[in-house]
């Protein structure tokens, strides 16, 4: 995926989202804001999908591409189940 595609607004969680979240600060969260998945730090606006710590717990200390893809799919499914 090129840099332009990484930054385009999207409503599903991607591997790149999870990599950026895991590289962010300890208070970072993945949120759905106005139909877009975003990473925020501090008090999040929008619907919180998962915190950095929650994702780290699901992926492990050194996640590979397959595990990141699986967790991204799980989180995207959770968004759909919430009707967002």
């Amino acid at each position: 995926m090129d840099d332009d595609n990484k930054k385009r607004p999207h409503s599903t969680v991607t591997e790149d989202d999870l990599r950026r979240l895991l590289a962010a600060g300890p208070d970072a969260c993945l949120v759905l804001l106005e139909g877009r998945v975003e990473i925020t730090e501090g008090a999040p606006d929008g619907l919180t999908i998962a915190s950095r710590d929650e994702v780290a717990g699901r992926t492990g200390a050194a996640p590979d591409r397959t595990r990141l893809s699986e967790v991204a799919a799980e989180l995207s499914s959770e968004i759909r189940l919430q009707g967002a």
Side-chain angles (χ1 to χ4, degrees):
M1 185 178 285
D2 61 30
D3 285 340
D4 289 336
N5 284 336
K6 289 179 189 177
K7 296 177 184 173
R8 281 194 187 138
H10 52 281
S11 60
T12 58
V13 179
T14 66
E15 292 173 43
D16 290 321
D17 293 328
L18 297 183
R19 279 190 197 93
R20 289 184 300 125
L21 178 63
L22 292 170
D27 294 330
C29 290
L30 198 61
V31 299
L32 188 65
L33 180 63
E34 297 178 4
R36 297 179 318 269
V37 172
E38 296 183 4
I39 295 170
T40 63
E41 295 203 36
D45 292 331
L47 174 67
T48 300
I49 300 166
S51 70
R52 180 186 175 281
D53 288 343
E54 290 169 338
V55 170
R58 287 174 130 175
T59 61
D64 62 12
R65 185 176 184 185
T66 300
R67 186 63 188 142
L68 288 173
S69 180
E70 291 169 351
V71 172
E74 291 168 4
L75 292 171
S76 292
S77 179
E78 290 175 21
I79 291 170
R80 285 189 303 276
L81 289 173
Q82 292 185 26

